[in-house]
Amino acid sequence: MTEAKVRRNAPCWCGSGKKYKNCHLTADLAAAAERNAPPVPHARDIFEIRENILAPKQVRSDEIGPSRR
């Protein structure tokens, strides 16, 4: 079941008697933004990315295959 959209000037859904825009609008917008935010990377992921950029793994010559001399 989908929730009905609350208009800004309608009474707030919490029953406070205030308009929605003066009561829960900012909190609802912040919660929606938090739900849609990309996940925060873990420190180990950041470290691994940093290491790959600064010192990429070198390929050994025997992993490349037979040489073409």
Side-chain angles (χ1 to χ4, degrees):
M1 185 171 146
T2 60
E3 295 181 20
K5 184 175 180 181
V6 180
R7 296 171 107 34
R8 290 173 47 88
N9 289 321
C12 189
W13 53 263
C14 72
S16 66
K18 296 180 182 179
K19 289 184 178 182
Y20 176 65
K21 67 181 180 183
N22 294 328
C23 191
H24 274 92
L25 177 64
T26 55
D28 289 348
L29 289 175
E34 187 174 311
R35 284 191 306 266
N36 295 330
V40 177
H42 294 283
R44 66 178 178 268
D45 297 333
I46 294 172
F47 181 74
E48 183 178 319
I49 292 168
R50 180 179 167 271
E51 288 298 313
N52 288 337
I53 291 171
L54 295 178
K57 295 178 182 175
Q58 296 180 356
V59 179
R60 295 188 337 223
S61 61
D62 59 337
E63 291 177 347
I64 296 173
S67 62
R68 297 184 178 180
R69 289 188 195 192

